[in-house]
Amino acid sequence: MLLAIFGLLIKFSYTGQFLLIVTFIGITAIIRGPLLILYSAVYLFLTSLFPPLGIILSAVLFVISLLELKRNWQLNLVALSFYSLPILSSLLLTFSSVDPFCVKNGGLLLGIIGLHFVLQKFYRQGFTSLSLLWFLIAAPYELLLFIIPKKNNRLRQNPSKNIKKIK
């Protein structure tokens, strides 16, 4: 399935690549969304009971996310190459006069061979196909969560202060 998805990403145009990535983001949001809401509710409940606990929990979660990033650096590099190679091949086709057949099929051949050997390495380390598939499908969603700002100062302001009283 991973090789088929990679093949689709290579063969699709920009629009198809974008729609496939948006589909992956939607699937991941549907599955992880309720869990994030539950996690946020528990976090807010605990910090409302004891406010300094919020600082401690935030520090612990930050350290855990750094450890997770360190542990999954190889997977993150694979996800980067999984999505960047199709996009780079589309850019090469757009801005050069190279034969499209050679670029698409050459990129597909090199990508599938490389992905095959990388996946074999991960299978030897104990990963399953389903866990690798889920990691690669969830990678655009994780990147989107990383890019989106965590706080919005406009939303934190009290809008009732800006309303003038009517006499």
Side-chain angles (χ1 to χ4, degrees):
M1 182 97 169
L2 288 170
L3 297 174
I5 291 171
F6 181 76
L8 286 176
L9 279 172
I10 286 279
K11 288 295 190 174
F12 281 165
S13 64
Y14 281 128
T15 308
Q17 291 171 350
F18 178 72
L19 289 175
L20 191 60
I21 291 172
V22 167
T23 303
F24 291 162
I25 291 171
I27 290 169
T28 308
I30 288 171
I31 293 172
R32 285 195 179 172
L35 294 175
L36 286 175
I37 292 171
L38 178 66
Y39 162 76
S40 299
V42 170
Y43 182 80
L44 288 173
F45 175 73
L46 290 175
T47 56
S48 68
L49 289 178
F50 187 64
L53 187 63
I55 296 170
I56 295 168
L57 284 175
S58 295
V60 167
L61 291 174
F62 179 72
V63 169
I64 288 172
S65 66
L66 285 179
L67 291 174
E68 189 72 22
L69 184 64
K70 178 186 168 215
R71 187 176 66 114
N72 290 335
W73 69 272
Q74 292 173 332
L75 284 171
N76 289 327
L77 284 177
V78 170
L80 178 70
S81 66
F82 187 83
Y83 288 105
S84 64
L85 185 65
I87 292 171
L88 289 175
S89 70
S90 294
L91 283 173
L92 183 66
L93 284 175
T94 303
F95 295 114
S96 71
S97 60
V98 180
D99 183 28
F101 179 80
C102 292
V103 171
K104 288 283 186 181
N105 292 328
L108 181 62
L109 180 67
L110 291 175
I112 285 181
I113 290 171
L115 191 60
H116 170 72
F117 288 116
V118 168
L119 290 176
Q120 275 187 338
K121 177 182 178 276
F122 284 130
Y123 292 148
R124 281 188 225 115
Q125 291 178 357
F127 286 94
T128 62
S129 294
L130 188 60
S131 66
L132 288 171
L133 177 69
W134 178 248
F135 186 84
L136 289 174
I137 286 176
Y141 179 77
E142 296 293 331
L143 180 67
L144 189 65
L145 286 181
F146 184 73
I147 292 173
I148 293 176
K150 302 292 185 260
K151 293 181 182 178
N152 190 347
N153 289 333
R154 266 191 359 207
L155 295 176
R156 291 176 49 194
Q157 292 175 352
N158 189 356
S160 63
K161 290 181 182 177
N162 298 334
I163 298 175
K164 296 182 180 180
K165 293 183 180 181
I166 300 175
K167 294 184 182 181

